[in-house]
Amino acid sequence: MKKIYLILILFFICINTNAQDTYVFFGSFNHDKTSDGIYVYQLDTIRGTLSKTITVKGFLNPSFLTVSGKQVFVCTESKTPNAGSVCSFEFQPHNKSLIFINSQKSGGENPVYLSVHKNGKWLINGNYTQSSVSLYPISENGTINQMVQKFDFSEGSINTERQTRSHIHATVFSPNFDYIFTTDLGADKIRGFKFENDKSIPLQIAEQPFTKTTLGSGPRHFTFHPNGKFAYCVEELSGTVNAYKYEDGKLESIQRINTHSEKYKVNFESSDVHPSPDGRFLYVANRGEENNIAIFSILPDGKLKTIGYQSTLGKHPRTFAIDETGKFLIVTNVVTGNVFVFKRNSETGLLKRIGKSLKIKNVSCVQIKKY
């Protein structure tokens, strides 16, 4: 009897330990350095609830962040020329602290996306308004060193309101980290770069320098399937997602499908895209009139089949994230300033809200990391 009792105690200790080691990082369009701009919450992986652990002031409009090991990299958005920055923090889960390390100029107006190489030694940033891609070496202590490369773009496309010039909106490493793909909303292109990690100047325009998307589509965010053979690009202006076959730095379109139901004909504003960790489902956020998550099953050939829609229970879902277990999806609604946690059914792919809403004014982005 004592042995059974001991086993039960150990079991509940393990459950409690697992519930304490997953953290969720949020940014906010605070518009004022005296207001909180970065938030860190702890995710209870049993109940799906969030509890606040850290808030950080002193940074204007953290529009996007990414987590790499103990480092948290943040881009601060500004529409003032040359005022945007990329910042580095160290997260210490044992004492629940987020320590500022340093910052560098973003190399262009309005930085909106960051990615880190798997070795933790390179940071790549995309600037939206003053369209450019900038690359930085990272020291072992997480310091962002001075920019070593920058590529500027200018050409636009057919939408006279949104595409008068180039607008880089995402910078994504390939599955093997030997290429980088940048979505250009303004020029209707997915730009490709070869990445040679062992060189001091590692970024070169790829043999296939860009993949054209449908004119007026506005490619925004981009992601790879966990198997590395397929890629998916959400197109903001047309409310579509384009599925690609991927091999050795080259993309081949295999399908283009609406992210919205037939009920909606205009104002799509599709924003973010992520596959489930098991590679069975793809999720796409829609803003505009819909404010939902479109859910697709991923077929063996990489093509998509629409299976449903889930309201985000707020307005303007800019980003969302799925935890590494695939159990939870967390979505940010910028206009209503609320966050919701959804439990994901691993068999059907459908989502179910759990817990209460979390209020973060002008919440801009979210990332989940298990420590």
Side-chain angles (χ1 to χ4, degrees):
M1 187 69 180
K2 289 183 178 180
K3 185 176 181 181
I4 293 174
Y5 182 67
L6 180 60
I7 290 172
L8 287 172
I9 290 175
L10 291 172
F11 174 74
F12 284 111
I13 288 174
C14 289
I15 288 177
N16 188 59
T17 299
N18 287 335
Q20 300 303 306
D21 62 1
T22 298
Y23 292 86
V24 186
F25 301 81
F26 297 99
S28 165
F29 292 118
N30 55 355
H31 303 297
D32 180 357
K33 288 185 178 182
T34 63
S35 301
D36 290 329
I38 302 171
Y39 300 75
V40 184
Y41 281 74
Q42 202 164 341
L43 174 66
D44 183 322
T45 56
I46 304 303
R47 297 189 294 262
T49 54
L50 293 167
S51 56
K52 186 187 292 184
T53 61
I54 306 167
T55 60
V56 179
K57 295 181 174 67
F59 299 91
L60 187 65
N61 296 335
S63 61
F64 192 85
L65 57 83
T66 191
V67 185
S68 175
K70 63 182 180 180
Q71 308 306 141
V72 179
F73 297 99
V74 181
C75 57
T76 58
E77 179 192 69
S78 172
K79 294 187 178 180
T80 303
N82 301 314
S85 66
V86 292
C87 307
S88 175
F89 296 81
E90 180 179 325
F91 178 59
Q92 298 181 347
H94 61 280
N95 60 10
K96 296 180 172 59
S97 63
L98 191 63
I99 300 170
F100 174 70
I101 298 175
N102 82 316
S103 68
Q104 295 283 0
K105 292 290 187 180
S106 64
E109 189 179 328
N110 208 356
V112 291
Y113 203 97
L114 297 168
S115 290
V116 181
H117 193 276
K118 65 179 178 180
N119 64 14
K121 296 180 179 180
W122 296 99
L123 176 71
I124 186 163
N125 164 65
N127 298 300
Y128 179 82
T129 303
Q130 187 181 341
S131 185
S132 60
V133 173
S134 49
L135 183 71
Y136 308 81
I138 305 170
S139 297
E140 287 188 11
N141 66 355
T143 298
I144 305 172
N145 295 305
Q146 287 189 343
M147 182 194 311
V148 294
Q149 284 184 277
K150 180 170 173 275
F151 292 82
D152 295 285
F153 305 98
S154 60
E155 75 268 34
S157 190
I158 64 171
N159 186 316
T160 56
E161 293 183 1
R162 296 290 307 278
Q163 296 180 311
T164 57
R165 61 162 298 154
S166 173
H167 294 300
I168 299 296
H169 216 308
T171 55
V172 180
F173 279 99
S174 65
N176 292 330
F177 289 82
D178 53 352
Y179 286 90
I180 287 175
F181 292 91
T182 66
T183 49
D184 191 333
L185 184 147
D188 289 321
K189 292 178 179 179
I190 303 172
R191 302 183 184 276
F193 299 85
K194 178 70 176 173
F195 193 86
E196 298 177 285
N197 175 58
D198 57 345
K199 295 185 177 181
S200 59
I201 305 296
L203 204 57
Q204 305 296 329
I205 294 175
E207 179 184 344
Q208 180 178 304
F210 57 83
T211 301
K212 291 183 179 180
T213 66
T214 301
L215 292 178
S217 61
R220 178 183 172 96
H221 279 190
F222 184 81
T223 189
F224 283 94
H225 189 280
N227 67 12
K229 297 178 181 179
F230 308 113
Y232 301 94
C233 182
V234 63
E235 299 169 334
E236 176 177 342
L237 304 182
S238 57
T240 47
V241 60
N242 209 324
Y244 294 90
K245 185 183 295 184
Y246 174 72
E247 187 175 5
D248 296 330
K250 295 181 174 62
L251 297 168
E252 178 189 346
S253 179
I254 55 176
Q255 182 193 28
R256 188 165 180 261
I257 185 172
N258 289 340
T259 64
H260 54 90
S261 67
E262 288 300 312
K263 178 181 177 181
Y264 298 96
K265 303 295 184 183
V266 295
N267 194 20
F268 307 124
E269 291 192 32
S270 299
S271 58
D272 203 6
V273 57
H274 298 285
S276 58
D278 61 11
R280 296 181 59 193
F281 300 95
L282 187 77
Y283 299 84
V284 176
N286 292 304
R287 299 171 295 178
E289 296 178 0
E290 292 188 77
N291 297 303
N292 65 19
I293 301 288
I295 307 167
F296 303 89
S297 62
I298 302 177
L299 305 179
D301 61 359
K303 293 181 180 180
L304 304 172
K305 179 182 178 181
T306 306
I307 59 173
Y309 303 90
Q310 170 63 55
S311 169
T312 63
L313 307 175
K315 292 182 179 180
H316 210 80
R318 186 172 187 265
T319 65
F320 66 95
I322 302 173
D323 78 304
E324 64 183 63
T325 70
K327 186 177 180 180
F328 300 105
L329 184 150
I330 301 177
V331 65
T332 62
N333 294 300
V334 179
V335 173
T336 47
N338 53 13
V339 173
F340 287 95
V341 180
F342 293 89
K343 189 171 184 180
R344 198 182 69 86
N345 186 312
S346 61
E347 293 302 316
T348 66
L350 300 179
L351 303 172
K352 181 180 180 181
R353 172 193 168 180
I354 56 175
K356 298 179 180 179
S357 68
L358 173 67
K359 297 294 290 184
I360 298 179
K361 187 177 181 181
N362 301 321
V363 61
S364 60
C365 56
V366 58
Q367 295 285 352
I368 308 170
K369 177 70 175 178
K370 185 175 182 180
Y371 288 89

